[in-house]
Structure formats: structure tokens, C-alpha cells
């Protein structure tokens, strides 16, 4: 598929995807969502970390495209929300870590896209918010679900009921982002984070992601058992032998993704 709204750079196992719709501050219309769906469904096998950002200096994603949504009826509203929610869920469940590098406005669907990523870092110019109730809708790309998980019920409800946008420093304080950088440093820091991840055993990183996500909604005993099984699976890999013998031999491990 040819992409009109995605800019993709794929180098050294790190793929950077920039959403690019400059006329609308990268607002997500259904064409962009379909392009995103195609991209994440066909992500090259050699990619070990995906970084998602917004093209340009001003915006990550300013939300879902209001001009596309304004005349939808109930069924069409459901279908639009479902389209985005399923794409974001595909991003969340990719077998590799996904970093959101939030370079500007992350409003509505933009905040929701960032929340579907494993890790969020931001420029000090970033703004996060769920302004949907001011438009007569609710966060519809799983924001009512994920925001409370990330920042707690009280803060999520305040943000969603008021629609108040928060700056990067506040997002950092409430745990919505892991770190805040100068705008010109953001992409370098995202890549540095990706490089630290890909230095580790790829299968172990994959199993760690799978375990954290799967265990989150389980009861304690089930979660602990899930982890025990996942831990056992690591010992089927050559990279576990490599990592441990390298440690014992005081050498650097050479992981082979096996
Ligand atoms: C469509 C948008 C847009 C959006 C910005 N634009 N956000 N178009 N959908 N979400 C367009 C503007 O209409 C404008 O087009 C151009 O981008 C530049 O925006 P300005 O408003 O002129 O820029 P600025 O004054 O700097 O303000 C930036 C802004 C503001 C604060 C981000 O644009 C804004 O409030 N945007 C809407 C944010 C929002 O409400 N997002 C949530 C959407 S609902 P023209 O043609 O005038 O130049 C949502 C629901 C998700 O996300 C779930 C769906 C199921």
C-alpha cells in the first residue's frame, strides 16, 4: 500500500513512523487510520522497536479529524471509533516495544494514540488532553479505558470531564510520560531509548512485553503463574544461554534472536 500520510524511516532495527497531515495538525482521518492499520499489520520482521511521532514541529496528533466526524450518525460513529480502536490495539499488541515521541499537541485521539504505545516521552512543548466532551463526544479511541489505567481514576476523570489540556511537566508528574526533553533533543532521546532496548535479548524483551500486558488484568495468582510459564520459556532460547555465559565469562553477549 502506498502511504500518503505516513513518513517511515527504517534503520538498524529501529523504525520511526511520523504521522503527516500538515493541514490539520496531523489529525487522524479514516484514510490515515487505514494506512496505520496496513503499516502495523505488515511491519518488517527486522524491526525491533517502533517509534511513533508527528511530522512537523507543532503537533503529534491533534485528535481525530473533526471535519470527518461532524456529520456521522450513530452507526457511523461506532464504525469510526471501532476502526481507530482496533488499529490502536494492534499497535499496543505488536510483539515489539513501541515508543511515542510526543512532539506537540497530543489531544483527543492523539493522546489516545500515545497511550496505546508502551512508553511515552515528550518535548517540553507537548500538550496532552482529552477535549472530546467539549465537542459533544467522549474519548472514542479507548481513552476512557487507557487513561485511568495510566494516571489513575481521579486524574483521568478530571481530565476527561473538564477537557483541560496539560503541559508536559504535568504529564510527567502524573506518570503519563516517562521523560521530557528539549524539542530538538526528543528524537535523539527516543532513538537512544530504542538502542538501549535493542541491546538486550530480543525474545526476552518480547516475552517481557507479552507478560506485562497479559498479567495486568489477571488476578494475582494467575498473573504470577503466567510469569512463571513465561520465565520458563526463556530457557528454551539460545540467547538465554548466551546472556548468562557472557556474564559469567565477563564478555559482551551477542544475541541472535534465537
Ligand atoms: C480537524 C483540525 C484538528 C482536528 C486542528 N485542525 N485540529 N482539523 N480535526 N482534530 C485544523 C484546524 O481546523 C486548522 O485548519 C488547522 O488544523 C490548524 O489549527 P489551528 O486551530 O488554526 O491551530 P492553533 O490555533 O495553533 O490551535 C491548535 C489546536 C486546535 C489547539 C490543536 O487546532 C484545536 O483545538 N484542535 C482540535 C483539538 C481537538 O479537539 N481534538 C480532539 C478531536 S476529537 P484550518 O483549515 O482552519 O487552517 C477526537 C476524538 C477521538 O480526537 C475519538 C474518535 C472516535
Amino acid at each position: 500500500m502506498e502511504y500518503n500520510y505516513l513518513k517511515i524511516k527504517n534503520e538498524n532495527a529501529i523504525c520511526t513512523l511520523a504521522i503527516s497531515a500538515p493541514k490539520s495538525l496531523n489529525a487522524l482521518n479514516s484514510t490515515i487510520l487505514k494506512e496505520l492499520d496496513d503499516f502495523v499489520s505488515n511491519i518488517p520482521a527486522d524491526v525491533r522497536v517502533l517509534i511513533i511521532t508527528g511530522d512537523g514541529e507543532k503537533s503529534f496528533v491533534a485528535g481525530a479529524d473533526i471535519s470527518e466526524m461532524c456529520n456521522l450518525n450513530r452507526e457511523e460513529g461506532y464504525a469510526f471509533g471501532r476502526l481507530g480502536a482496533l488499529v490502536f490495539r494492534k499497535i499496543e499488541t505488536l510483539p515489539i516495544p513501541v515508543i511515542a515521541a510526543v512532539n506537540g499537541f497530543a489531544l483527543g485521539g492523539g493522546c489516545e494514540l500515545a497511550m496505546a504505545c508502551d512508553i511515552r516521552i515528550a518535548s517540553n512543548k507537548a500538550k496532552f488532553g482529552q477535549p472530546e466532551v467539549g465537542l459533544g463526544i467522549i474519548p472514542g479511541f479507548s481513552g476512557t479505558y487507557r487513561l485511568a489505567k495510566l494516571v489513575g481514576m481521579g486524574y483521568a476523570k478530571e481530565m476527561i470531564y473538564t477537557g483541560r489540556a496539560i503541559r508536559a511537566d504535568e504529564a510527567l508528574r502524573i506518570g503519563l510520560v516517562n521523560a521530557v526533553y528539549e524539542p530538538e533533543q526528543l528524537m535523539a532521546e527516543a532513538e537512544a531509548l530504542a538502542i538501549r532496548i535493542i541491546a538486550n535479548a530480543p525474545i526476552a524483551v518480547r516475552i517481557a512485553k507479552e507478560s506485562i500486558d497479559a498479567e495486568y488484568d489477571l488476578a494475582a495468582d494467575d498473573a504470577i503463574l503466567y510469569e512463571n510459564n513465561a520465565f520458563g520459556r526463556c530457557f528454551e532460547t539460545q540467547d538465554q544461554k548466551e546472556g548468562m555465559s557472557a556474564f559469567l565469562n565477563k564478555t559482551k553477549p551477542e544475541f541472535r534472536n534465537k
Side-chain angles (χ1 to χ4, degrees):
M1 182 177 190
E2 197 168 304
Y3 301 134
N4 293 313
Y5 295 102
L6 307 183
K7 291 187 176 173
I8 295 158
K9 185 181 90 177
N10 192 357
E11 266 173 17
N12 304 323
I14 300 169
C15 182
T16 303
L17 167 77
I19 293 165
S20 182
K23 286 190 190 137
S24 61
L25 300 178
N26 306 331
L28 299 172
N29 58 37
S30 48
T31 307
I32 302 181
L33 292 170
K34 285 175 190 155
E35 290 189 6
L36 264 177
D37 186 44
D38 184 80
F39 173 77
V40 291
S41 304
N42 298 290
I43 196 154
D46 61 343
V47 174
R48 305 244 324 264
V49 173
L50 173 64
I51 299 170
I52 299 180
T53 192
D55 196 26
E57 288 174 4
K58 194 169 165 182
S59 185
F60 175 72
V61 165
D65 192 322
I66 299 168
S67 62
E68 182 171 345
M69 286 187 295
C70 73
N71 291 319
L72 301 184
N73 63 27
R74 178 181 178 152
E75 287 73 30
E76 291 162 342
Y78 169 86
F80 186 70
R82 192 76 186 141
L83 172 65
L86 291 179
V87 179
F88 289 10
R89 182 71 177 142
K90 274 192 193 173
I91 292 170
E92 185 174 47
T93 56
L94 277 174
I96 54 169
V98 184
I99 300 167
V102 181
N103 53 314
F105 293 116
L107 302 175
C111 189
E112 293 170 295
L113 173 60
M115 291 193 292
C117 300
D118 292 292
I119 299 169
R120 283 150 297 286
I121 62 173
S123 116
N124 58 20
K125 296 261 166 61
K127 273 204 168 163
F128 296 82
Q130 299 289 165
E132 284 93 340
V133 294
L135 297 164
I137 57 172
I138 61 168
F141 289 155
S142 319
T144 58
Y145 172 67
R146 290 199 182 97
L147 187 59
K149 286 194 150 184
L150 278 168
V151 305
M153 195 70 104
Y155 229 105
K157 285 182 171 172
E158 184 199 321
M159 282 178 69
I160 290 172
Y161 297 167
T162 64
R164 178 172 72 88
I166 62 172
R167 291 195 325 224
D169 55 348
E170 191 171 355
L172 180 66
R173 183 167 62 73
I174 66 173
L176 187 54
V177 300
N178 290 17
V180 177
Y181 300 103
E182 293 293 329
E184 54 279 8
Q185 288 302 317
L186 179 67
M187 292 318 291
E189 293 290 349
E191 277 166 33
L193 181 56
I195 287 167
R196 281 199 292 275
I197 293 170
I198 66 175
N200 295 311
I203 299 171
V205 171
R206 203 157 64 226
I207 294 178
K209 172 169 175 170
E210 173 207 308
S211 299
I212 295 166
D213 288 340
E215 290 157 20
Y216 195 89
D217 292 314
L218 295 179
D221 290 331
D222 294 333
I224 289 164
L225 181 60
Y226 193 101
E227 186 196 70
N228 297 150
N229 281 314
F231 183 71
R233 279 162 51 205
C234 298
F235 290 83
E236 288 177 341
T237 67
Q238 291 175 21
D239 284 346
Q240 173 269 325
K241 308 283 178 270
E242 170 65 16
M244 292 193 179
S245 62
F247 175 81
L248 295 173
N249 294 325
K250 302 191 190 306
T251 59
K252 219 169 160 275
E254 283 184 31
F255 294 120
R256 299 209 151 76
N257 197 12
K258 286 186 178 153

